[in-house]
Amino acid sequence: MAFGMLQSNTAPIALEFGVGSLKALQLAPGEPPTLVAAACLETPEELRADHEARLAFQCERVAGLLKNGCFKGKRVMCSIPAPFTLVQHAVVGKGDAPLAERVTAHLQATLNCDPARVVVRHLEVGESPGGGGKTEVICFVVAKEMVMRVLGAVRQARYEVIGAHSEHVALARAFDRVTRRESDNDYMCMYLDVGAGASKIVLTHGRRIVFAKTIQVAGREFDDAVAKHLKKPAAEARARRLAMGRDIPRVLSGAPASAAAGSGMKGSMKDAEVAVVEDRRSSSPTPGMTAPISGDAPSDLAEPLREPIDALVAEVSMCLRYHERRFSEHPVGRCVFVGGEARDVTLCREIAQRLRLAAQVADPLACVTKTGKEPVRGVEFSGPQPGWAVPFGLSFAPRNL
């Protein structure tokens, strides 16, 4: 698969403006890809709940992160922060105008927004079940001013922005290596990115995104619930909660393909083993996955986390019901967890059991070749890092600027 660099021998630098941190990743193309450099800047605790202040903080520090990270070249592929992105499904009527123009006109009428002040991207899902030549699309709408802030910060650092994608699109692209063949078009999966400030859900048929949504229940709500229960600061509550995920060991290279990536997964999580899952379609390894999450793991934080987990599960369940009505012949067979909160395997297990889905935690960087001598700042890659799915996916996203 082609990297986002296309017309350059230097791979792009993938840059994610996340709530929990600002991440930069560069991979060299190949099968498997090779790590060039990586850098991460954690968001100060006092800025995590203030999206405007956090983005200003990150924009001011983009130059230092890129220049001190020992990255190669000047091309950057950016993510557009989820808290600033409106994701909406829409049914657009037929007409003589190009679909992009009809999407913009539809949003202008339904959202009463000025097309000159927003950037609109869309993905075509397919013909609307109601017929009549109408088309269902997924719209990603961002204020143009916000996009210019992000791109301007990179350009001010004297780097060239070659693409900008929503976190939802980048998340799906992180798993293109799993579903690379035409026969995988009926391969259904739900990717659930549980981040620090928001959760993103993406449903795919093969590589095709058929549903996307941002859910405003994530790490911040979990931290607040635990902090209130323990009567401790949010940072201390987060550390206590994420400590429950430390039973995820490092990925085992060359492991057997017993934890198959299909919807009929079987196995036990009692030993919390993490394996590199062999792609059932080729000999190339897919992003690292845990064994299927199952079993019980009682937690002393189960009660304080019950309410935010209920809220998240309710939102995800609505998304699954929508997909079931829209694509009744293609039921979702599994859930793949990513995002920084996926380090809490107890949390993932509870969500998966409530949803009644087979589930795994993914570490996309597990398939990346590393020597241990690459310049890496602010992150430790010796263990699984499910929070790096977006920058990994950006590395494979197409140039679009």
Side-chain angles (χ1 to χ4, degrees):
M1 184 173 79
F3 266 62
M5 57 183 178
L6 296 181
Q7 299 177 351
S8 173
N9 291 326
T10 303
I13 305 165
L15 187 63
E16 179 194 5
F17 291 83
V19 171
S21 62
L22 176 67
K23 299 184 183 76
L25 175 70
Q26 188 172 34
L27 305 175
E31 282 295 337
T34 303
L35 178 64
V36 175
C40 179
L41 176 65
E42 293 293 325
T43 302
E45 187 64 37
E46 64 273 15
L47 300 181
R48 282 176 170 254
D50 188 335
H51 294 313
E52 285 289 340
R54 171 185 58 80
L55 185 60
F57 169 84
Q58 292 177 336
C59 287
E60 290 174 358
R61 286 159 177 78
V62 163
L65 185 80
L66 295 177
K67 292 177 181 178
N68 297 327
C70 299
F71 296 100
K72 298 180 180 179
K74 290 287 185 177
R75 296 190 170 194
V76 174
M77 187 76 72
C78 290
S79 71
I80 301 300
F84 296 94
T85 305
L86 172 64
V87 183
Q88 180 171 314
H89 281 246
V91 175
V92 181
K94 63 180 179 179
D96 296 330
L99 181 58
E101 293 182 14
R102 285 182 279 143
V103 169
T104 300
H106 175 86
L107 292 174
Q108 183 179 9
T110 57
L111 301 179
N112 193 29
C113 63
D114 182 355
R117 302 181 64 179
V118 297
V119 176
V120 179
R121 298 274 173 80
H122 73 274
L123 296 175
E124 187 173 347
V125 176
E127 184 177 355
S128 171
K134 296 181 178 180
T135 303
E136 181 180 356
V137 296
I138 307 172
C139 306
F140 302 92
V141 186
V142 191
K144 184 172 294 185
E145 180 183 3
M146 201 290 302
V147 176
M148 297 310 298
R149 286 178 63 187
V150 171
L151 272 57
V154 178
R155 289 166 177 163
Q156 190 172 358
R158 299 182 183 277
Y159 285 77
E160 177 191 1
V161 182
I162 64 170
H165 294 269
S166 77
E167 294 181 13
H168 306 76
V169 172
L171 172 59
R173 298 289 72 81
F175 295 91
D176 279 351
R177 302 176 76 251
V178 180
T179 50
R180 67 185 72 192
R181 296 170 62 178
E182 186 176 348
S183 59
D184 297 321
N185 290 340
D186 292 330
Y187 185 63
M188 283 69 67
C189 187
M190 176 175 75
Y191 299 106
L192 185 55
D193 184 333
V194 187
S199 296
K200 282 83 67 181
I201 178 173
V202 177
L203 301 179
T204 63
H205 295 178
R207 292 184 177 181
R208 186 166 68 99
I209 299 174
V210 298
F211 184 89
K213 184 177 181 178
T214 300
I215 300 173
Q216 301 303 329
V217 181
R220 183 169 61 248
E221 285 67 33
F222 301 139
D223 293 341
D224 290 346
V226 174
K228 182 179 180 180
H229 174 73
L230 297 178
K231 297 180 173 59
K232 299 289 186 180
E236 188 173 335
R238 183 183 311 112
R240 170 76 176 274
R241 183 173 58 80
L242 292 180
M244 295 188 296
R246 289 178 180 171
D247 59 341
I248 303 180
R250 65 181 61 184
V251 172
L252 303 176
S253 60
S258 56
S263 60
M265 296 183 300
K266 299 180 181 180
S268 172
M269 190 62 181
K270 65 180 181 178
D271 298 321
E273 292 183 350
V274 178
V276 173
V277 180
E278 291 294 329
D279 191 344
R280 66 194 188 287
R281 309 159 192 80
S282 73
S283 59
S284 300
T286 68
M289 299 268 190
T290 65
I293 299 175
S294 62
D296 296 316
S299 166
D300 58 351
L301 299 180
E303 187 56 38
L305 287 173
R306 185 179 307 279
E307 185 174 341
I309 290 177
D310 283 347
L312 178 58
V313 169
E315 291 281 353
V316 175
S317 296
M318 285 192 292
C319 299
L320 290 173
R321 286 196 295 272
Y322 175 88
H323 178 273
E324 184 178 359
R325 291 193 301 269
R326 177 69 171 82
F327 300 100
S328 57
E329 71 282 12
H330 297 301
V332 174
R334 66 163 181 161
C335 174
V336 174
F337 287 96
V338 292
E341 303 305 315
R343 291 173 293 171
D344 182 351
V345 70
T346 306
L347 175 69
C348 297
R349 179 184 291 112
E350 181 66 20
I351 295 172
Q353 289 178 342
R354 302 261 194 109
L355 294 173
R356 298 183 178 181
L357 282 177
Q360 294 171 287
V361 177
D363 175 20
L365 292 180
C367 69
V368 175
T369 299
K370 315 176 192 71
T371 66
K373 298 179 180 180
E374 298 88 357
V376 175
R377 297 171 179 266
V379 63
E380 176 56 64
F381 285 148
S382 60
Q385 290 289 346
W388 285 72
V390 167
F392 181 85
L394 284 173
S395 299
F396 297 90
R399 174 174 180 163
N400 64 355
L401 288 179

